[in-house]
Amino acid sequence: MSTRERLRVLTAVVQDHPGVLFRVCGMVRRRGFNIQGLSVGPTDQEGRSRMTLAVDAGHAEVDQVAKQLDRLVEVIEVRDLTEEPTLNRQLALVKLAVTGPHRDRAVAEVDRAGGRVLDAGPEHLIAEVSGEQERVERLIGSLRPFGLIEVARSGPVAMSKGIPKRIAEEVSHA
Amino acid sequence: MNGAQIILEALQREGIDTVFGYPGGANLPIYQHLPEYRSLRHVLVRHEQGAAHMADGYARASGRPAAVFATSGPGALNLVTGLCTAFMDSVPMVVVTGQVPTAMVGRDAFQEADVVGCTQPVTKHNYLVTRVQDLPRVMREAVHLATSGRPGPVLVDVCRDVQQASCEPSWPEELDLPGYRLPGPPDRSRLEEAARALDRAERPVILAGHGVILSRAEPELLALAERAAVPVGTTLLGIGAFPVRHPLSLHMTGFMGTGWNLRAVQEADLLLCVGMRVDDRVTAKLDEWAPRAETFIHVDIDPSEIGKNRRPHIEVVADARAALGGLAELVTPPEPERRRLWLTRIERWREEHPLRYLRSDGQLQPQDVVIEMYRRCRDRAIVVADVGLNQIWAALWWNYDRPGRFLNSGGAGTMGFALPAAIGAKLACPEQAVWCVAGEGGFVMTAQELSVAVEHGLDVKVVLLNNFSLGMVRQFQDDFYGGVRSQVGLHVIPDFVKLADAYGLAGCRVERLDEVPAAFDFAERTPGPVLIDCRIDPEANVYPIVPLGKGLNDFRELPDEYA
């Protein structure tokens, strides 16, 4: 199996305790999986965080990643979104050292790619781009000739499309 | 109340009566208050690894958890091997370690170690407690997590200042563990599907693991096997889940399983695995395991075990007892004629592949020692084996008919397990005879715990199967590594009879078979621990054995010329 076929995209709702990230990462490493991308942030519920993980399942059966995550006491809910219609977004900040005529071309390139210039000084630009991984990588590639000096990228955040059946029922009863 | 008292009170409230521990700088507040808690029996070990193995043996023998105390840094780290042993074999244990004071954490203080970090891979869950008001909840959760579902060790690391801080404990009524869900009753439709598959099967085999013993499902297993007329094998840790002398018994499976078991597994058209991990010691080469099984049914309480190594056709996530009980009701007893052919074939394999051992040329054969033990004890004794040849001899040459009679480190394979685990087993079951079977290699790894057996006057009878070598490693070198015997000779070892004397217990030596009965007589009539140093044939091996990397079909037996 190629890395792409082994790649799972999962979300996990976890208790917001110290060390939870360490537990999750430790489990992934111990089981021979490999984290390709990771993001963590608070949810709308107090004491709960949500992680999005892109994990290479390595030589393991692909459902092992979700099962092993779910085994952790502080992991409340795991969803493997790999087979579901999903929105997947990443964010990147890109710093360019640009002056003179290059500058306008760089701004145009950022615009063309759907990014935004967040900060501009006499010798630099900082642009933001978000989107699916490929799109983010394409933009970074297209800005490279303009004197790219720094890139900061987030891990993925993912959400399945539509409303889970359980919640849809709750909404219709409300 | 201070934190130390809350810890002790919590253990008492949870019904824990025995603590194996070792005091040190970071857990002294607990030891200061320990004498106030008279219902807690504390056993002072001689090394922390011994404490973990004792608690392990205690739980395996009785089904009840014990507690372990250790201090920070090296004290806690000495537990790691024992935690791993218990974790791999799903044994409950509640461990409380002292940690340096809260303000010192992370400053590389004296005897500081990241115990929560170090023990995460070898515990079911662990905690670092930095606020005294968290202790009542954490202690309750720790016991619940250790003992429920698939059991395992849980560690609570408590900063020393937290042990000394005061608070009015608030004992939670309900536990709030939103990420910890226990499996409900087995899915009825899956059970029905499994029962229909069993009804249809021509050559069914059941393999039972430790989960059957942990959920006390032996009656349900027996009922299912008899009703559906299905032969039953066990894993090394499942020994005792099904009576070895039952006509449907296939005895032990796997890498060093019996020939008739392996033939049956390889020919089965249906394989039902219950309460087991389907690990490499069971399957040998996975691609070649159970090649004719058109239906593989896997029952386990832990969903992550299902499909981890072999994807089942029918999966049942449930407690073994509930699942086996449900299956026993749902299967249709076959016409006797339908099973005759299959059971007859197995009978023939049993005759073709008997367990056998080296023809004695005057040297003491270890199997003879085990057989003599069995002749005397039957299933009245608990046998605790170490790791290596001694473990497999004890597994194969004793007819275990009941669960909890044979304890050993199956998953981790921890040398040095037997003596401390036997001590724990004896403390848990004082009415039972307890035999510790070990090689001289593993025995010396934890031999200092003899003092504990002497101090408490424990009737633990230690049978050393002494071959002056690391026998299983030697056999592997002989059979699979070109016959190069490298670093396996233990020519310089203690005089074990003198060692026993130095520790204050009785000991004797046996070099010939005709001396064995007298030695056992001596051990049985001498109160307290006794050590018997059996000088066995250094060339004695374990057979059958599957060569490393090969499939079960390739199992090797004792060559005829030696039998």
Side-chain angles (χ1 to χ4, degrees):
Chain A
M1 254 193 303
S2 69
T3 309
R4 200 173 179 80
E5 286 165 17
R6 296 187 313 242
L7 197 72
R8 310 306 289 183
V9 177
L10 305 106
T11 61
V13 177
V14 302
Q15 286 183 292
D16 180 16
H17 290 169
V20 170
L21 184 60
F22 174 63
R23 279 182 209 280
V24 168
C25 296
M27 185 285 292
V28 168
R29 181 193 57 75
R30 284 200 296 281
R31 295 286 168 183
F33 315 144
N34 189 17
I35 295 183
Q36 305 274 338
L38 169 71
S39 68
V40 193
T43 64
D44 58 334
Q45 270 184 294
E46 200 180 331
R48 304 272 192 275
S49 299
R50 178 169 161 132
M51 295 182 180
T52 304
L53 301 104
V55 178
D56 178 348
H59 59 259
E61 298 283 333
V62 289
D63 64 347
Q64 274 293 306
V65 184
K67 283 178 167 179
Q68 293 294 342
L69 273 174
D70 210 17
R71 234 177 141 202
L72 299 173
V73 171
E74 287 155 319
V75 172
I76 297 165
E77 189 189 337
V78 180
R79 286 185 68 191
D80 188 334
L81 301 180
T82 316
E83 315 295 337
E84 292 184 37
T86 301
L87 291 172
N88 196 325
R89 290 289 177 272
Q90 294 190 5
L91 174 72
L93 297 177
V94 183
K95 188 185 285 176
L96 303 170
V98 283
T99 49
H102 287 306
R103 190 183 180 82
D104 293 341
R105 287 192 8 235
V107 171
E109 187 63 40
V110 171
D111 275 347
R112 200 174 64 78
R116 259 193 330 148
V117 175
L118 297 180
D119 185 46
E123 293 175 327
H124 81 281
L125 281 179
I126 297 178
E128 168 196 51
V129 64
S130 72
E132 290 187 343
Q133 184 175 338
E134 291 74 18
R135 183 181 135 89
V136 170
E137 278 165 8
R138 221 168 32 240
L139 180 81
I140 294 171
S142 68
L143 291 176
R144 200 173 296 279
F146 296 97
L148 184 123
I149 54 173
E150 198 177 337
V151 176
R153 285 176 66 176
S154 74
V157 291
M159 188 175 276
S160 68
K161 291 181 180 172
I163 298 179
K165 204 173 160 201
R166 174 173 54 85
I167 295 175
E169 280 165 10
E170 281 170 22
V171 172
S172 71
H173 290 304
Chain B
M1 253 185 182
N2 68 17
Q5 290 169 307
I6 292 171
I7 291 165
L8 294 160
E9 172 84 19
L11 293 174
Q12 203 170 52
R13 291 169 74 106
E14 297 290 340
I16 289 177
D17 59 9
T18 303
V19 183
F20 301 95
Y22 207 99
N27 66 358
L28 284 175
I30 296 174
Y31 279 91
Q32 181 186 353
H33 292 283
L34 180 65
E36 297 159 25
Y37 292 83
R38 304 300 283 276
S39 74
L40 290 175
R41 167 175 57 178
H42 185 275
V43 177
L44 177 64
V45 301
R46 299 305 189 264
H47 183 287
E48 289 87 350
Q49 183 183 346
H53 291 328
M54 286 181 206
D56 184 320
Y58 186 98
R60 287 188 209 231
S62 67
R64 290 176 284 125
V68 172
F69 291 167
T71 191
S72 65
L77 297 183
N78 278 343
L79 295 172
V80 170
T81 304
L83 289 170
C84 180
T85 306
F87 185 57
M88 287 287 271
D89 291 352
S90 309
V91 178
M93 185 181 301
V94 179
V95 181
V96 179
T97 49
Q99 180 55 277
V100 300
T102 322
M104 305 294 285
V105 170
R107 294 171 189 257
D108 298 328
F110 176 66
Q111 291 194 330
E112 180 184 0
D114 173 15
V115 170
V116 161
C118 291
T119 61
Q120 209 152 80
V122 291
T123 51
K124 186 170 170 185
H125 194 52
N126 63 14
Y127 297 86
L128 171 65
V129 184
T130 55
R131 304 187 318 165
V132 67
Q133 59 269 35
D134 292 341
L135 268 175
R137 171 183 61 80
V138 167
M139 290 301 296
R140 270 213 67 191
E141 287 180 5
V143 177
H144 175 68
L145 290 170
T147 53
S148 59
R150 179 177 177 180
V154 177
L155 181 140
V156 183
D157 197 28
V158 188
C159 291
R160 195 181 68 211
D161 55 320
V162 173
Q163 299 168 36
Q164 290 172 305
S166 292
C167 91
E168 199 45 55
S170 140
W171 303 100
E173 292 289 316
E174 302 266 308
L175 294 179
D176 180 28
L177 292 165
Y180 184 66
R181 287 170 303 274
L182 296 171
D187 184 304
R188 181 87 186 169
S189 63
R190 293 274 171 82
L191 282 188
E192 273 167 8
E193 199 186 341
R196 294 296 77 78
L198 272 165
D199 291 346
R200 279 194 310 272
E202 296 291 333
R203 305 182 307 279
V205 165
I206 298 174
L207 293 178
H210 197 201
V212 173
I213 294 174
L214 287 168
S215 73
R216 300 173 187 198
E218 307 83 22
E220 286 78 5
L221 174 62
L222 189 64
L224 172 64
E226 289 183 343
R227 201 168 140 80
V230 181
V232 181
T234 72
T235 65
L236 176 65
L237 286 178
I239 283 177
F242 195 79
V244 167
R245 288 175 299 168
H246 193 284
L248 287 169
S249 169
L250 296 172
H251 211 317
M252 188 169 89
T253 195
F255 173 58
M256 292 173 177
T258 63
W260 68 94
N261 180 304
L262 304 189
R263 295 292 298 268
V265 168
Q266 294 302 82
E267 278 299 308
D269 67 344
L270 179 145
L271 196 56
L272 166 59
C273 288
V274 190
M276 56 186 280
R277 300 179 286 129
V278 192
D279 82 326
D280 55 302
R281 278 296 188 263
V282 162
T283 64
K285 191 176 180 188
L286 191 57
D287 305 341
E288 295 177 14
W289 182 61
R292 305 193 62 195
E294 289 154 24
T295 311
F296 171 42
I297 307 169
H298 195 174
V299 178
D300 202 276
I301 197 166
D302 181 348
S304 74
E305 292 303 345
I306 308 236
K308 187 173 80 178
N309 295 326
R310 165 75 78 97
R311 179 78 44 201
H313 303 99
I314 303 171
E315 61 177 70
V316 181
V317 176
D319 179 71
R321 187 171 190 177
L324 289 171
L327 269 178
E329 283 174 22
L330 290 169
V331 289
T332 316
E335 297 296 321
E337 201 50 41
R338 261 202 77 209
R339 282 283 187 273
R340 185 161 299 155
L341 187 62
W342 177 229
L343 296 177
T344 309
R345 284 179 75 188
I346 290 173
E347 213 40 56
R348 200 163 62 238
W349 290 327
R350 195 194 303 267
E351 286 157 18
E352 284 171 17
H353 305 287
L355 283 174
R356 54 187 192 181
Y357 55 99
L358 270 181
R359 189 176 50 236
S360 181
D361 56 357
Q363 300 214 62
L364 183 57
Q365 297 304 315
Q367 294 90 344
D368 282 327
V369 177
V370 177
I371 289 166
E372 174 64 18
M373 278 169 61
Y374 178 72
R375 200 184 61 73
R376 289 161 176 268
C377 309
R378 303 286 159 174
D379 63 358
R380 287 177 291 113
I382 295 172
V383 178
V384 187
D386 212 69
V387 166
L389 296 176
N390 66 85
Q391 178 182 26
I392 306 302
W393 291 324
L396 290 178
W397 294 94
W398 183 291
N399 292 324
Y400 299 95
D401 283 343
R402 289 200 286 142
R405 305 289 100 179
F406 180 56
L407 315 182
N408 73 114
S409 166
T414 304
M415 287 173 73
F417 172 81
L419 175 65
I423 289 169
K426 185 67 189 177
L427 283 161
C429 305
E431 308 303 317
Q432 301 282 340
V434 174
W435 292 84
C436 164
V437 177
E440 80 288 0
F443 177 72
V444 298
M445 289 190 177
T446 53
Q448 71 282 349
E449 306 303 338
L450 282 173
S451 290
V452 175
V454 172
E455 182 178 342
H456 294 267
L458 300 175
D459 270 327
V460 172
K461 312 302 180 190
V462 180
V463 178
L464 279 189
L465 299 176
N466 179 357
N467 54 9
F468 287 84
S469 60
L470 301 175
M472 187 173 277
V473 180
R474 193 262 309 139
Q475 182 179 351
F476 282 21
Q477 290 184 345
D478 284 354
D479 290 356
F480 313 132
Y481 289 90
V484 179
R485 291 191 176 182
S486 176
Q487 300 297 318
V488 288
L490 292 177
H491 310 295
V492 179
I493 51 172
D495 178 326
F496 288 108
V497 178
K498 283 187 182 163
L499 184 81
D501 187 46
Y503 273 100
L505 63 143
C508 63
R509 178 163 297 123
V510 171
E511 298 185 60
R512 295 196 320 269
L513 181 57
D514 59 9
E515 297 168 345
V516 171
F520 281 127
D521 286 345
F522 169 71
E524 286 182 320
R525 71 166 184 267
T526 306
V530 175
L531 184 149
I532 307 174
D533 176 20
C534 302
R535 299 275 176 94
I536 61 164
D537 182 350
E539 301 294 320
N541 282 341
V542 154
Y543 290 105
I545 186 168
V546 176
L548 299 175
K550 294 286 177 80
L552 292 189
N553 284 336
D554 299 313
F555 70 90
R556 287 189 199 161
E557 296 180 273
L558 180 72
D560 285 338
E561 60 267 34
Y562 299 118

